Amino acid sequence: MSQRVVVTAAARGIGRAIADRFLASGATVWGCDVDDEALGELRAALPSVKAARCDVGDKAQVESFLAEACKSMGGIDVLVNNAGIGGGHAAVEDVTDENWDRSLAVNLSGMFYCVRKVVPLMKAQGSGCIINISTGSVRTGLPNRLPYVASKHGVMGLTQNLARELGPANIRCNAILPGLIDNPRGRALVQRAADEAGKSFEEFEADMLKYISMRTWIDPLEIGDTAVFLASHAARHITGQFLGVCGGVEWEP
């Protein structure tokens, strides 16, 4: 029987790469996103993926989406909590209540809402796998990105505690910590940082890569392949782990 997989924020970037790799592994995939245009692109590119609009920061929308996905697939074997937002760019004293609250709502509470819904289903079937997408920045810190980094640290605690609590029910939980992602969003972030520093893209890129031991960007499909592995039989006893797919990020300028 093929795996039944849910991927949040599946329409673009890392989420789409994760959906793509699970499809290639033979899984049945349901995805969600808040971007209607991106959802249309996802349906066109990966017509086998069932996709619906859902803001994971809204628990009512999460309940509805996951109920629909479960009914359609007959259960959920794998939940990939990928949805997240950048949280703005500001000194701590300038962080707005809106940015702080929205970052926690999407990046942390959204994962909790999804987990709370799928865990009873996984317990009933006697197995399950939860994969949370965090960031390599929890290990380096990022000045002026407090809402993002703090919420992603929360994801680490969520992951560790879920692994301990759910292990006896044969439900595993791990986190993937991506590095410098080579996609339009990742390159736009580097360009913005370069502009703020008064440097060219190439100069700032070199500044970043020198603090990555393998001097590399990360292909989003690498995150997808890692998620597929963590959900596989080969990883059946891997839980409570924080797996960096980052080329060895040591620091971030």
Side-chain angles (χ1 to χ4, degrees):
M1 180 178 175
S2 66
Q3 288 184 313
R4 300 161 298 184
V5 180
V6 167
V7 182
T8 65
R12 285 183 177 155
I14 289 175
R16 181 156 156 183
I18 292 170
D20 178 88
R21 300 317 294 155
F22 269 108
L23 275 181
S25 77
T28 301
V29 180
W30 264 76
C32 72
D33 210 287
V34 295
D35 187 329
D36 291 323
E37 180 182 352
L39 282 170
E41 294 171 358
L42 173 66
R43 293 184 182 106
L46 300 175
S48 296
V49 174
K50 303 295 183 183
R53 193 181 194 287
C54 176
D55 177 353
V56 299
D58 183 324
K59 56 188 172 186
Q61 291 188 40
V62 170
E63 289 273 337
S64 177
F65 164 65
L66 289 175
E68 184 180 6
C70 181
K71 181 179 179 180
S72 172
M73 295 190 291
I76 297 172
D77 300 305
V78 182
L79 168 65
V80 184
N81 276 317
N82 169 67
I85 60 173
H89 187 275
V92 58
E93 64 269 27
D94 297 322
V95 172
T96 66
D97 291 347
E98 180 183 8
N99 276 351
W100 179 260
D101 292 344
R102 182 62 178 162
S103 297
L104 290 176
V106 175
N107 296 359
L108 184 56
S109 295
M111 292 194 182
F112 164 68
Y113 297 148
C114 291
V115 168
R116 183 172 61 181
K117 181 67 176 178
V118 304
V119 162
L121 306 173
M122 291 178 173
K123 284 184 174 180
Q125 66 197 21
S127 64
C129 176
I130 299 167
I131 300 167
N132 298 325
I133 306 301
S134 182
T135 173
S137 297
V138 297
R139 290 174 169 164
T140 64
L142 271 181
N144 302 315
R145 296 289 304 281
L146 182 63
Y148 176 72
V149 175
S151 61
K152 289 297 189 177
H153 264 288
V155 171
M156 309 293 276
L158 180 78
T159 300
Q160 188 173 46
N161 217 70
L162 286 172
R164 179 174 177 183
E165 179 176 336
L166 300 177
N170 196 32
I171 301 170
R172 300 181 296 108
C173 186
N174 296 287
I176 298 174
L177 283 60
L180 186 60
I181 296 296
D182 192 3
N183 64 9
R185 179 176 181 272
R187 289 187 172 267
L189 288 172
V190 172
Q191 183 65 67
R192 185 180 70 181
D195 292 342
E196 291 173 350
K199 297 183 177 182
S200 69
F201 178 91
E202 291 74 19
E203 288 172 323
F204 200 85
E205 177 189 28
D207 287 344
M208 296 196 74
L209 291 177
K210 72 182 179 182
Y211 294 110
I212 300 172
S213 69
M214 295 186 75
R215 309 296 193 263
T216 185
W217 291 75
I218 301 299
D219 187 325
L221 290 173
E222 295 180 64
I223 310 301
D225 288 333
T226 303
V228 170
F229 165 70
L230 286 173
S232 73
H233 182 72
R236 62 193 178 277
H237 293 140
I238 298 176
T239 193
Q241 302 304 304
F242 308 142
L243 184 55
V245 184
C246 60
V249 172
E250 303 155 6
W251 190 74
E252 294 180 76

